[in-house]
């Protein structure tokens, strides 16, 4: 076989143009597969980013729940006074100012707004069933006053603080690992909780929620 015949056979069996075209097609196909493999994860990642970026637009937030770094705060709204049940006729108590009582008490170490000053301290006496006399102290009430703001802090070692009206039960807040019931109506807050064996009942008028939370935290600390 001469040299020219050999090249002729090579050209017939191994067409360089055909081989070149096949190589190009394989390269393009591989390139498309690589792009496809990269495109799928990219689309998935983009979907995840879009989901987390827009999920708040579709989440209906409870406006009574307030964000807090450590605590879970929930304010139960009392729409009207009709939601409060009046039990004053069922209370058999006697209330005396400490000036009129034979007992004395040291005011609580509690942080209150600077414009409020301690006005008076009262004792709530219940009847001794044996003697029939009002000689048992059930609650102690500290009253604080400002120009147009007021605060009552009542506490009891004997049980739940006695109230002239009952506040409806609601969702509990958690403040420094303590369950706290926070209710509000108009310009007032009512706070109920138990800490270290003592029951607390706090009523405020024209105080902000932040100020009320400051008072609660100063008691729990």
């Amino acid at each position: 076989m001469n040299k020219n015949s050999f090249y002729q056979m090579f050209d017939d069996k191994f067409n360089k143009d055909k081989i070149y075209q096949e190589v190009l097609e394989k390269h393009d196909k591989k390139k498309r597969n690589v792009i496809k493999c990269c495109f799928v994860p990219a689309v998935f990642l983009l979907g995840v980013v879009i989901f987390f970026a827009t999920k708040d637009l579709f989440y209906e937030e409870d406006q009574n729940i307030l964000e807090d770094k450590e605590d879970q705060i929930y304010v139960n709204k009392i729409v009207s006074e009709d939601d409060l049940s009046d039990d004053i006729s069922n209370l058999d108590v006697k209330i005396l100012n400490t000036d009129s009582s034979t007992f004395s008490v040291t005011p609580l170490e509690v942080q209150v707004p600077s414009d409020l000053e301690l006005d008076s301290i009262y004792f709530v006496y219940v009847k001794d069933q044996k003697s029939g006399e009002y000689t048992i102290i059930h609650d102690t009430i500290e009253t604080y006053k400002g120009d147009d703001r007021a605060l009552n802090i009542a506490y009891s070692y004997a049980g739940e603080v006695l109230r002239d009206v009952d506040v409806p039960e609601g969702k509990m807040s958690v403040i420094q690992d303590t369950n706290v019931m926070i209710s509000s109506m108009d310009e007032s807050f009512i706070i109920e909780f138990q800490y270290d064996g003592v029951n607390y009942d706090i009523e405020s008028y024209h105080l902000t929620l932040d100020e009320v939370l400051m008072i609660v935290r100063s008691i729990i600390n």
Side-chain angles (χ1 to χ4, degrees), residues 9-25:
M9 183 185 69
F10 182 87
D11 288 338
D12 292 340
K13 300 295 184 181
F14 305 98
N15 189 299
K16 62 179 180 180
D17 292 333
K18 182 179 179 181
I19 293 175
Y20 178 73
Q21 187 63 34
E22 290 177 352
V23 169
L24 285 180
E25 290 178 356

Side-chain angles (χ1 to χ4, degrees), residues 136-188:
I136 301 175
I137 296 177
H138 192 280
D139 305 335
T140 303
I141 304 174
E142 296 183 2
T143 64
Y144 296 81
K145 292 183 179 180
D147 291 338
D148 62 343
R149 312 205 304 166
L151 172 69
N152 289 343
I153 302 178
Y155 58 95
S156 174
Y157 294 90
E160 291 186 6
V161 173
L162 302 175
R163 324 182 96 260
D164 52 357
V165 293
D166 285 337
V167 179
E169 291 292 327
K171 185 174 181 177
M172 283 287 187
S173 297
V174 179
I175 301 177
Q176 297 179 7
D177 298 325
T178 301
N179 289 330
V180 179
M181 180 73 67
I182 304 176
S183 304
S184 70
M185 185 177 67
D186 298 329
E187 301 296 328
S188 300

Side-chain angles (χ1 to χ4, degrees), residues 42-65:
V43 171
F44 175 76
L45 180 60
L46 179 62
V48 172
V49 172
I50 293 175
F51 171 76
F52 284 103
T54 61
K55 69 184 182 72
D56 290 338
L57 298 177
F58 303 96
Y59 175 71
E60 184 176 353
E61 182 180 0
D62 191 332
Q63 296 301 317
N64 293 326
I65 299 177

Side-chain angles (χ1 to χ4, degrees), residues 4-204:
N4 290 333
S5 298
F6 178 82
Y7 285 133
Q8 181 64 38
M9 183 185 69
F10 182 87
D11 288 338
D12 292 340
K13 300 295 184 181
F14 305 98
N15 189 299
K16 62 179 180 180
D17 292 333
K18 182 179 179 181
I19 293 175
Y20 178 73
Q21 187 63 34
E22 290 177 352
V23 169
L24 285 180
E25 290 178 356
K26 290 181 180 181
H27 176 73
D28 291 341
K29 183 177 180 181
K30 183 178 181 181
K31 184 177 180 181
R32 287 195 299 269
N33 290 337
V34 170
I35 294 175
K36 183 178 180 181
C37 292
C38 296
F39 179 75
V40 173
V43 171
F44 175 76
L45 180 60
L46 179 62
V48 172
V49 172
I50 293 175
F51 171 76
F52 284 103
T54 61
K55 69 184 182 72
D56 290 338
L57 298 177
F58 303 96
Y59 175 71
E60 184 176 353
E61 182 180 0
D62 191 332
Q63 296 301 317
N64 293 326
I65 299 177
L66 305 179
E67 293 294 334
D68 195 284
K69 292 182 179 180
E70 298 179 355
D71 302 328
Q72 300 173 18
I73 308 300
Y74 189 92
V75 179
N76 299 282
K77 302 291 185 181
I78 301 175
V79 179
S80 68
E81 293 184 0
D82 295 336
D83 295 330
L84 302 174
S85 57
D86 188 354
D87 287 344
I88 191 169
S89 59
N90 296 328
L91 292 180
D92 186 9
V93 298
K94 183 177 181 179
I95 301 177
L96 289 178
N97 188 293
T98 51
D99 296 337
S100 304
S101 174
T102 57
F103 295 94
S104 62
V105 65
T106 302
L108 293 172
E109 294 183 3
V110 57
Q111 185 178 358
V112 301
S114 58
D115 64 308
L116 298 181
E117 294 184 357
L118 180 62
D119 182 66
S120 58
I121 301 178
Y122 296 90
F123 291 129
V124 178
Y125 289 85
V126 294
K127 187 182 295 185
D128 185 334
Q129 297 301 320
K130 293 182 178 180
S131 65
E133 301 292 330
Y134 295 91
T135 57
I136 301 175
I137 296 177
H138 192 280
D139 305 335
T140 303
I141 304 174
E142 296 183 2
T143 64
Y144 296 81
K145 292 183 179 180
D147 291 338
D148 62 343
R149 312 205 304 166
L151 172 69
N152 289 343
I153 302 178
Y155 58 95
S156 174
Y157 294 90
E160 291 186 6
V161 173
L162 302 175
R163 324 182 96 260
D164 52 357
V165 293
D166 285 337
V167 179
E169 291 292 327
K171 185 174 181 177
M172 283 287 187
S173 297
V174 179
I175 301 177
Q176 297 179 7
D177 298 325
T178 301
N179 289 330
V180 179
M181 180 73 67
I182 304 176
S183 304
S184 70
M185 185 177 67
D186 298 329
E187 301 296 328
S188 300
F189 285 101
I190 302 172
I191 316 294
E192 301 169 283
F193 64 97
Q194 184 185 73
Y195 176 71
D196 200 20
V198 183
N199 294 274
Y200 292 89
D201 191 307
I202 300 173
E203 293 185 12
S204 70

